[in-house]
C-alpha cells in the first residue's frame, strides 16, 4: 500500500520526467519539491512505488521513470488540469469562429488542438446514424446530370453529381424529388434507406423509372456514408519529432492514422469520467496494436449525440495540459454546433 507521501512522490516523478525526459532521482526530488524530508526517506518512498510497479529504473543506478501503471494512477488520482491561458483560449476562438461548413469546422478543430498540444489531434465527426433527413434537393445541371443534395438535422450535408442513363425534363425531376421527399424527409437515415429501397429494387421499365433508380442508388450511397463513423486528424508530423519517446517504431501509429478504423474503435471504447474526459495509456492499447501510445479525449455534444475530440502521442505526455486543451476545444465545439442547430 502506497502512502500519501509516496503518491505525491509519484506525482513529482511524473511531472519532472515529462518536463526533462530524464530519469528522476531522490536528490532531484528533494531539491525541486518541498517535501521537508531527507533524500533517504524519498528513496524509501520510491522503493515502495517500485514494488507497486508504478515506477521503474531504466538503467542500473539511475533515477526512476513512470510505468504505464504509474501514469494511470497519476491521471486518475493525482493530475490537476491546468487552466488554459488567455492566449490559448483566444486561439481556440480565432480558429473556430465562422467556419464555412461542418467539414471546415472539424478540420479547424484538429488544427487548433495540435497547435495547443504539439500532439496528433483526433476528432470524431458527429454521429449522423441517428440523424434525421431534413431536406432533399435535385438540381438539374444538364438533361442527364443532376446534383443531389441531402441535409440532416445533425449538420450533415451531402452533395453528389449523378449522371443518368436517360434524360429528364423539369416535370420529371419534380416527380422524383417529390417521391424522395416523402420517403426521406423527417425520417432517420436508417429508415430513409429502408423507405427508398423499393424504388431501387423494382424500377419502372420507362426512361423515368430507369433514371429514378440511378438517382436512388446515388442517394442510398450518400445515406450509407452518413451512417459511417468518420475521423479527422492533424499533426501526424509531430510523431517524427517525438520519435525518441517511443521505445520501438512509430510505424504502428502511422498505420493507425492512415487506416483510421483502429483509432475510431479505440476512441469509441474509451470510458469517460464524470467530466466527460478519458485517457487510454500505453499497455491499455495493446489490443489495438498501439502499446506505446496514449490517447486523451473529451466528449462534445452535437444534435446527433455525443462524439469525442482528443490527442494521441507517446506515454510521456503532459496529461493535465492535454486533457485541459481537449476539454476546452470540446466545449467550444459543442457550443458552436448547438448555436448552429438553434439557428436552423
Amino acid at each position: 500500500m502506497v502512502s500519501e507521501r509516496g503518491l505525491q512522490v509519484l506525482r513529482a516523478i511524473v511531472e519532472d520526467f515529462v518536463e526533462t525526459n530524464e530519469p528522476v532521482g531522490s536528490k532531484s526530488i528533494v531539491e525541486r519539491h518541498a517535501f521537508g524530508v531527507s533524500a533517504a526517506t524519498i528513496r524509501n518512498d520510491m522503493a515502495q512505488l517500485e514494488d507497486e510497479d508504478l515506477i521503474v529504473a531504466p538503467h542500473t543506478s539511475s533515477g526512476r521513470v513512470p510505468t504505464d501503471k504509474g501514469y494511470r494512477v497519476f491521471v486518475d488520482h493525482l493530475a490537476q488540469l491546468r487552466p488554459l491561458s488567455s492566449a490559448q483560449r483566444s486561439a481556440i476562438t480565432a480558429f473556430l469562429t465562422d467556419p464555412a461548413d461542418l467539414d471546415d469546422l472539424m478540420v479547424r478543430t484538429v488544427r487548433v488542438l495540435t497547435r495547443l498540444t504539439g500532439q496528433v489531434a483526433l476528432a470524431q465527426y458527429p454521429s449522423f446514424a441517428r440523424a434525421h433527413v431534413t431536406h432533399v434537393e435535385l438540381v438539374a445541371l444538364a438533361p442527364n446530370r443532376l446534383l443531389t443534395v441531402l441535409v440532416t438535422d445533425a449538420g450533415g450535408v451531402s452533395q453528389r453529381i449523378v449522371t443518368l442513363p436517360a434524360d429528364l425534363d423539369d416535370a420529371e425531376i419534380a416527380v422524383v424529388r417529390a417521391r424522395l421527399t416523402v420517403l426521406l424527409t423527417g425520417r432517420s437515415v436508417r429508415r430513409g434507406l429502408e423507405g427508398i429501397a423499393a424504388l431501387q429494387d423494382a424500377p419502372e421499365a420507362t426512361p423515368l423509372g430507369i433514371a429514378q433508380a440511378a438517382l436512388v442508388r446515388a442517394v442510398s450511397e450518400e445515406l450509407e456514408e452518413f451512417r459511417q463513423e468518420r475521423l479527422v486528424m492533424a499533426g501526424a508530423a509531430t510523431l517524427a519529432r517525438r520519435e525518441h519517446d517511443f521505445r520501438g517504431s512509430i510505424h504502428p501509429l502511422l498505420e493507425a492514422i492512415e487506416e483510421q478504423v483502429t483509432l475510431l474503435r479505440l476512441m469509441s471504447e474509451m470510458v469517460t469520467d464524470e467530466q466527460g474526459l478519458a485517457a487510454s495509456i500505453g499497455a491499455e492499447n495493446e489490443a489495438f496494436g498501439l502499446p506505446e501510445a496514449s490517447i486523451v479525449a473529451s466528449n462534445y455534444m452535437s444534435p446527433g449525440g455525443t462524439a469525442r475530440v482528443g490527442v494521441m502521442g507517446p506515454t510521456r505526455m503532459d496529461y493535465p495540459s492535454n486533457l485541459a486543451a481537449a476539454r476546452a476545444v470540446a466545449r467550444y465545439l459543442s457550443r458552436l454546433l448547438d448555436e448552429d442547430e438553434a439557428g436552423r
Side-chain angles (χ1 to χ4, degrees), residues 272-288:
T272 57
D273 62 16
E274 64 278 2
Q275 299 181 67
L277 298 173
S280 190
I281 300 170
E284 297 168 2
N285 300 318
E286 180 75 49
F288 301 93

Side-chain angles (χ1 to χ4, degrees), residues 194-254:
E194 294 170 353
I196 65 175
L199 296 179
Q200 180 180 345
D201 295 340
E204 303 168 6
T206 63
L208 174 58
I210 294 170
Q212 176 179 269
L215 270 172
V216 171
R217 279 195 297 273
V219 169
S220 296
E221 290 171 2
E222 293 305 294
L223 290 173
E224 285 287 0
E225 283 292 318
F226 280 138
R227 296 179 67 182
Q228 304 300 316
E229 288 190 84
R230 296 174 60 192
L231 191 69
V232 61
M233 290 171 281
T238 64
L239 293 176
R241 293 197 293 270
R242 295 177 174 271
E243 191 167 8
H244 61 278
D245 280 327
F246 297 91
R247 294 184 299 274
S249 171
I250 63 172
H251 288 151
L253 281 78
L254 296 175

Side-chain angles (χ1 to χ4, degrees), residues 179 183-184 187 189-200 216:
R179 290 174 179 173
L183 293 172
L184 293 177
R187 296 191 177 191
V189 170
R190 179 182 60 81
R191 289 192 60 208
L193 276 165
E194 294 170 353
I196 65 175
L199 296 179
Q200 180 180 345
V216 171

